[in-house]
Amino acid sequence: MTAVYLELGTKRIFACALEWPGWCRSGRDAQRALAALTAYAERYAVVAERAKITFEPGDVRVVERVRGGSTTDFGAPEQPASTDFAARDGATAQRQAALVRAAWDVFAEVAAVTPEQLRKGPRGGGRDRDKMIEHVIAAEASYARRIGVKHPAPAAGDAAAVAALRAEVLDVLAAPTDGTPVPRGGWPAAYAARRIAWHVLDHAWEMQDRATS
């Protein structure tokens, strides 16, 4: 079975798979959030395959509920699960890092075959491809600071700077942790892996959907 926690906002609920960074979807209630998570299993399988990790999720099982906030309702998960603060052994940390790396690879592959101009929303909203890429990279520089990695936000076209940022992030994510409390305002590495991978995949899947719909 797949252990899932629910992040409860007032307008939106996220269902996040604890052991699969990035496999996290939302809905207007818990039932819809869990249904959305299950519906995206096939898409997430591509990430696991890229990381060379067997993906046989089975049924989902809710193991925890946490209270979200305004960011939850806006459309992004913002709260760690209690297990994110626990110690992680080296194998677990390296597995999580491998899935984050695979999420970046999938994003790059999707972006490479996505047209620059994407279908707009019903009110004309939504970033086009290049703006979305810039947004993802800028967000990663911000997220990285939550785990002690401090880089200026790289330009989207600066492959060396992007690679340097991501290499340092992976170093942190792949390191075992002993459960020592994180600094105020910081993120535990397990949650950082989930949030980074979720953001990358959410936009990769958005590009796919808006390019073909």
Side-chain angles (χ1 to χ4, degrees):
M1 301 183 73
T2 295
V4 171
Y5 78 102
L6 298 179
E7 182 177 319
L8 310 174
T10 58
K11 300 177 182 178
R12 186 188 299 262
I13 292 176
F14 276 88
C16 299
L18 284 167
E19 298 179 359
W20 298 101
W23 190 23
C24 185
R25 306 311 296 164
S26 69
R28 294 166 70 180
D29 54 39
Q31 183 177 2
R32 292 177 185 176
L34 291 167
L37 185 75
T38 301
Y40 272 71
E42 186 173 348
R43 298 179 92 166
Y44 190 83
V46 175
V47 180
E49 181 180 7
R50 183 65 186 250
K52 296 181 172 58
I53 296 173
T54 301
F55 182 66
E56 297 175 349
D59 295 332
V60 299
R61 177 169 62 95
V62 176
V63 298
E64 185 177 5
R65 291 169 172 81
V66 300
R67 178 60 56 188
S70 59
T71 301
T72 316
D73 287 333
F74 179 74
E78 65 167 319
Q79 293 296 331
S82 61
T83 55
D84 291 335
F85 295 92
R88 298 180 310 153
D89 61 25
T92 299
Q94 290 172 21
R95 178 182 179 278
Q96 291 175 338
L99 289 163
V100 173
R101 183 188 296 110
W104 283 329
D105 290 343
V106 168
F107 181 86
E109 290 169 358
V110 170
V113 297
T114 298
E116 157 58 14
Q117 293 189 331
L118 300 175
R119 177 183 58 84
K120 302 301 182 185
R123 298 183 180 179
R127 298 178 181 89
D128 284 324
R129 182 199 62 202
D130 290 352
K131 291 295 184 183
M132 201 180 300
I133 294 170
E134 291 172 3
H135 165 71
V136 167
I137 293 171
E140 283 175 11
S142 176
Y143 297 161
R145 287 191 283 274
R146 301 282 195 141
I147 55 173
V149 176
K150 298 179 181 179
H151 279 242
D158 190 343
V162 173
L165 168 65
R166 289 178 171 177
E168 286 196 39
V169 168
L170 288 176
D171 284 345
V172 174
L173 299 185
T177 54
D178 61 6
T180 299
V182 299
R184 184 172 181 176
W187 287 347
Y191 173 72
R194 184 179 310 115
R195 178 66 178 269
I196 292 168
W198 166 80
H199 192 239
V200 169
L201 293 175
D202 191 57
H203 285 299
W205 295 333
E206 180 190 356
M207 278 195 284
Q208 288 177 324
D209 292 344
R210 290 176 54 213
T212 59
S213 300

